[in-house]
Amino acid sequence: MRYLPLTPEDRAEMLGVIGVDSIDALFVDVPASAQRSGVVDLPLHAGELEVEREMAALAKRNRAAGEGPFFCGAGAYRHHVPATVDHIIQRSEFLTSYTPYQPEIAQGTLQVLFEFQTQVAALTGMEVANASLYDGSTAAAEAVMMATRVTRRNKAVMSGGVHPHYVETVETLAHAAGVSTERLAVAIDAEDAVIAAIDADTACVVVQTPNVFGTATDVSKIAAAAQAAGALLIVVTTEVVSLGLLKSPGEMGADIVVAEGQSIGNGLNFGGPYVGLFACKEKYIRQAPGRLCGETVDADGRRGFVLTLSTREQHIRRDKATSNICTNSGLCALAFSIHMSLLGEVGLRQLAAINHDKARALRDALAAVPGVEILTSRFFNEFAIRVPGDAAEIVETLAGHGIIAGVPFSRLDANAGLGDVLLVAATETTLDIDITFFAKFLAKVIAQ
């Protein structure tokens, strides 16, 4: 596509149609602190070779998760992705320029999305799932918007255990949509506190299990209380492997379940792309965001697949859309589905059990370090500890020893007053020697 620059007259005409005086008026909602004046602090021009060398030098400053002991979690988890996954996603059935918008020639893509939906529904214990969303946090925001449509109410209550980034994403979309949000105080183990906050205006309560501190909670009582008051229960899960071991949200009475699917089939990738999982009760399907693939037969009676529901703004009138986030992370969903197929139910349960065993070993090792307090009593593969002093400083010091010791909670919420709290995670990729080194050097750093 050729680049066709606009003349000043073109811009003036466009601004006139919109009804604003200047381009700056289009950005009035962007905080001044987020705006940049002047040129970006980069060279004005450079040759291709120079740019390649500069970017390579910057890349060398990164430390990949697999280069040594690594205990980060907090919403993104290092798991082993079999080489088979990368091989299969490049097969011609999937690596195609065609999309589900051409169903007669995109049967491979549509079928794998149909199977993906089946897997997500089974994992979450729900009746129906869509064909993925952008990521876990935007899926949570979409779930809140959906709850307001279903209940015709306008307030969301979020527990203090929901990941702060998810809360911020929900608040951003809710603010733009005119939906009020009530965020309870940050708490390591207080998901049940949302029950007291439910009133006649509550559209939904949002809880997370395992929550951001790793605490696993049976939310059955919360589901009963919410539904008795005419509200919906939205359950968030950031570590989808946990569903191989813990009771599913559907079994506990959830109305909507959202999750980050990165842990299955997708690497950390320095933060993305990831894949949002979304499932709900079948009676709410008409208000679900995104798109849903279904099974049918063609004119000759042969099995085929179609888009059964397509309710995004690019399919229908914008004011009728149930979602305006139009990325469904199709490639990441494909990788998820392939990895799930390779694991099967037995494999997933075994993987989940290994994760829990590794986390227990890590808990025991860190509990033996003088000055460390284990804060999370019920966990899957992640938990919170309290350390003497500033957790962020301790993490930086341990990084100097080649150990990535976890995520200081202050990085997620600087105003929570939990500067001495560190989130640590262990997965099947964690070696016993990694745990030994972590405990050994943590003890040394604390003793200094």
Side-chain angles (χ1 to χ4, degrees), residues 298-348:
D298 64 12
D300 296 321
R302 295 174 300 186
R303 185 188 190 207
F305 300 91
V306 295
L307 280 183
T308 301
L309 289 177
S310 304
T311 55
R312 300 187 299 174
E313 54 84 19
Q314 65 195 82
H315 296 99
I316 61 176
R317 294 197 308 273
R318 183 179 295 270
D319 59 327
K320 296 293 184 180
T322 59
S323 171
N324 290 315
I325 300 175
C326 295
T327 298
N328 81 314
S329 300
L331 183 61
C332 298
L334 172 61
F336 174 100
S337 197
I338 290 170
H339 194 182
M340 273 299 305
S341 299
L342 294 170
L343 285 169
E345 180 179 354
V346 172
L348 178 65

Side-chain angles (χ1 to χ4, degrees), residues 40-312:
V40 178
D41 185 20
L42 290 171
L44 294 179
H45 60 84
E48 182 175 342
L49 181 59
E50 288 78 12
V51 171
E52 288 179 352
R53 288 176 175 172
E54 179 69 18
M55 298 305 292
L58 289 173
K60 287 180 180 179
R61 295 169 58 185
N62 287 322
R63 183 181 183 277
E67 293 181 11
F70 182 85
F71 299 93
C72 288
Y77 303 89
R78 181 180 177 234
H79 291 282
H80 173 67
V81 179
T84 312
V85 173
D86 284 338
H87 173 73
I88 295 178
I89 65 175
Q90 296 178 70
R91 286 183 59 88
S92 59
E93 294 94 329
F94 309 121
L95 191 64
T96 171
S97 60
Y98 297 111
T99 75
Y101 305 121
Q102 296 94 30
E104 68 281 358
I105 50 178
Q107 287 295 297
T109 300
L110 285 167
Q111 180 172 357
V112 77
L113 289 176
F114 179 82
E115 302 296 347
F116 167 84
Q117 292 169 177
T118 305
Q119 292 168 337
V120 173
L123 272 174
T124 58
M126 301 302 288
E127 295 170 336
V128 64
N130 72 9
S132 89
L133 290 175
Y134 183 65
D135 62 12
S137 63
T138 51
E142 292 280 18
V144 170
M145 297 300 104
M146 174 178 166
T148 64
R149 294 191 296 271
V150 170
T151 62
R152 299 184 183 276
R153 296 178 179 179
N154 208 44
K155 186 178 80 171
V157 177
M158 291 179 284
S159 86
V162 176
H163 194 298
H165 293 173
Y166 283 56
V167 174
E168 292 169 4
T169 304
V170 171
E171 289 176 339
T172 298
L173 190 57
H175 171 74
V179 175
S180 65
T181 56
E182 180 180 349
R183 179 184 185 182
L184 303 187
V186 172
I188 292 171
D189 185 7
E191 301 302 299
D192 291 345
V194 296
I195 294 176
I198 300 172
D199 59 25
D201 296 323
T202 304
C204 60
V205 292
V206 184
V207 298
Q208 180 176 327
T209 180
N211 71 13
V212 69
F213 297 100
T215 303
T217 303
D218 187 332
V219 299
S220 301
K221 293 181 180 178
I222 305 174
Q227 291 153 7
L232 303 186
L233 173 64
I234 299 172
V235 176
V236 174
T237 299
T238 60
E239 170 53 292
V240 70
V241 174
S242 68
L243 298 179
L245 188 64
L246 303 178
K247 185 185 294 186
S248 73
E251 292 179 272
M252 295 186 283
D255 295 291
I256 305 172
V257 180
V258 297
E260 175 52 66
Q262 170 269 322
S263 290
I264 297 178
N266 292 273
L268 286 169
N269 302 326
F270 294 102
Y274 291 162
V275 53
L277 312 184
F278 191 103
C280 64
K281 292 180 176 177
E282 187 173 3
K283 63 182 177 180
Y284 301 134
I285 191 172
R286 288 288 178 180
Q287 293 299 331
R291 60 189 184 184
L292 189 144
C293 294
E295 182 180 352
T296 186
V297 294
D298 64 12
D300 296 321
R302 295 174 300 186
R303 185 188 190 207
F305 300 91
V306 295
L307 280 183
T308 301
L309 289 177
S310 304
T311 55
R312 300 187 299 174

